[in-house]
Amino acid sequence: MSAEPISPPVEGAGQFVRAAFSNASFIAGFVITALIALMALVSFFWTPHDVINLTVANRMQPISAQHWFGTDHFGRDILSLIMMGARNSIAVAFVAVGIGMGIGVPLGCWAAARGGWIDEALMRFNDVVFAFPALLSAIMITAIFGPGAVNAIVAIGIFNIPVFARVARAGAMALWPREYVLAARASGKSATLITIEHILPNIASILLVQGTIQFALGILAEAGLSYLGLGAQPPMTSWGRMLFDAQTRMMVAPHLAIFPGLAIVITVLGLNLLGDGLRDVLDPRLRRQR
């Protein structure tokens, strides 16, 4: 008896698409996430205004036909800044989640496959790493190497490692007693081969859902670190940095904080809705309940 193949058949993919786009949460999350990603992609080629050249004469202008979101204290167009900040936030969160998944998933699968003292040691090490939130890790890294986007990525990525390790280990532990895994072991397959052929394909869905959740948390963490001056540094644009610059000018020009804050809220909301929709579609128990 063997596990389901890694690449689902065409009819399985079609069923997934139909189920996904009949789920309101998935549709809303997909549309919001796609629009944010498209905005970040477009910013590489075009923005409504140039954000490099400062126009102090136009500083802190309100919403207008020329500047839809107004201008900041340097006269830069806020919509253009938000578009450029989107690509920075997405890049930091994407790489940080990639680090966490690329290291945490193999560790969790290895712990589940080996068991014993190796499992115990890895999980206790995860507990130690998990005890240091991304913000505290960033402060320690910044004290050694200085602030910057790379250090924010490293800090958030380190925080993601134990999260993915726990999820992967829990999913793998539930699968190792299954009949098809026992049959694979009886046929002489190594633990590594069983993990690749049977375990990973069957826990991919929960890892995907967890990835969307950590992506949203990564954007929040990046914004928080940039707000504290530990993330992206000028001239790089960041939503958190925009909020930091706006905090002393909110009574004069509240739009300086409103629009970057809305960008963070909408992006995180979209990713959370996408994760909820994926969970509903990929979990057969929830499908049966529906």
Side-chain angles (χ1 to χ4, degrees):
M1 189 173 182
S2 61
E4 297 179 0
I6 297 178
S7 300
V10 176
E11 46 280 17
Q15 290 175 0
F16 169 78
V17 171
R18 287 192 296 272
F21 283 94
S22 64
N23 183 285
S25 178
F26 179 88
I27 294 173
F30 179 82
V31 170
I32 293 173
T33 304
L35 289 176
I36 297 295
L38 180 62
M39 181 176 67
L41 181 62
V42 169
S43 70
F44 282 99
F45 311 100
W46 175 85
T47 54
H49 295 272
D50 186 3
V51 298
I52 298 178
N53 297 324
L54 308 182
T55 310
V56 181
N58 295 330
R59 64 191 302 266
M60 290 193 291
Q61 287 189 357
I63 300 172
S64 64
Q66 185 178 4
H67 301 283
W68 290 4
F69 291 176
T71 61
D72 70 353
H73 56 294
F74 288 127
R76 298 175 297 180
D77 181 64
I78 292 179
L79 175 58
S80 302
L81 291 172
I82 289 176
M83 291 177 65
M84 296 187 67
R87 69 190 191 193
N88 177 67
S89 297
I90 290 174
V92 170
F94 183 81
V95 177
V97 169
I99 292 173
M101 186 176 290
I103 299 176
V105 172
L107 283 178
C109 291
W110 187 40
R114 296 299 299 270
W117 67 270
I118 293 179
D119 179 22
E120 188 68 21
L122 284 174
M123 289 303 101
R124 298 295 76 77
F125 177 75
N126 274 342
D127 291 340
V128 172
V129 176
F130 201 68
F132 293 90
L135 178 59
L136 185 56
S137 301
I139 293 174
M140 292 187 296
I141 293 173
T142 301
I144 300 174
F145 301 105
V150 174
N151 295 334
I153 290 173
V154 172
I156 301 171
I158 291 174
F159 181 76
N160 282 332
I161 292 174
V163 175
F164 283 103
R166 286 170 177 267
V167 172
R169 176 183 176 273
M173 290 287 286
L175 294 177
W176 274 100
R178 296 290 182 89
E179 290 81 1
Y180 58 85
V181 175
L182 295 177
R185 295 180 66 180
S187 66
K189 288 185 178 181
S190 64
T192 302
L193 191 59
I194 292 174
T195 298
I196 295 173
E197 291 185 352
H198 304 291
I199 302 298
L200 282 176
N202 286 284
I203 64 173
S205 60
I206 60 174
L207 293 176
L208 180 62
V209 173
Q210 189 64 42
T212 60
I213 295 172
Q214 294 307 121
F215 200 100
L217 294 177
I219 288 178
L220 276 177
E222 188 279 331
L225 294 174
S226 296
Y227 179 83
L228 295 175
L230 303 177
Q233 301 297 304
M236 292 182 64
T237 305
S238 170
W239 293 338
R241 187 75 187 183
M242 293 174 69
L243 288 175
F244 173 80
D245 293 336
Q247 64 179 341
T248 58
R249 303 173 177 89
M250 288 188 62
M251 299 301 296
V252 180
H255 63 276
L256 297 181
I258 290 174
F259 292 111
L262 283 176
I264 297 172
V265 170
I266 291 172
T267 303
V268 173
L269 174 63
L271 287 167
N272 283 330
L273 289 173
L274 182 62
D276 289 342
L278 284 173
R279 182 200 60 196
D280 294 344
V281 172
L282 295 173
D283 192 330
R285 293 170 298 181
L286 293 176
R287 288 202 303 267
R288 284 195 296 267
Q289 291 174 6
R290 294 181 57 184

